[in-house]
Amino acid sequence: DGNAEISTQTRGVLGWLARLHTAREAGAAWRLLLDVTAILLVIASITGLILWQSLAKRRTIGVIALGITVIGIVLVYAVSVP
């Protein structure tokens, strides 16, 4: 008969934050800001690791923390991604 029923589901603030995080319904400026932020975070992480390696007294704990983090990320990925 040509009728359609449309239902929408919102998740409130969490839905809004998820849409911002994935850049859905966002303009080019927001996507660019997300990309630049991601690049800066990667650079900050790499330089932090380099600086941590240069501190002889904290090198061991840094390697241990990095190892635990990598293992944790791999475990979360293995459990979460089908």
Side-chain angles (χ1 to χ4, degrees):
D1 65 5
N3 289 331
E5 185 177 318
I6 298 174
S7 65
T8 61
Q9 179 182 7
T10 62
R11 294 184 347 206
V13 174
L14 289 178
W16 178 74
L17 289 173
R19 285 192 310 275
L20 279 177
H21 180 71
T22 58
R24 247 185 248 155
E25 304 166 12
W30 184 256
R31 284 189 209 104
L32 179 64
L33 179 66
L34 288 177
D35 290 341
V36 169
T37 303
I39 291 168
L40 290 175
L41 284 172
V42 168
I43 291 170
S45 297
I46 291 171
T47 56
L49 288 171
I50 292 169
L51 288 172
W52 207 342
Q53 283 296 321
S54 68
L55 299 173
K57 289 183 180 181
R58 299 189 180 181
R59 187 175 302 144
T60 304
I61 194 165
V63 170
I64 292 169
L66 179 62
I68 291 170
T69 302
V70 169
I71 290 169
I73 290 171
V74 168
L75 287 175
V76 168
Y77 180 81
V79 170
S80 301
V81 178

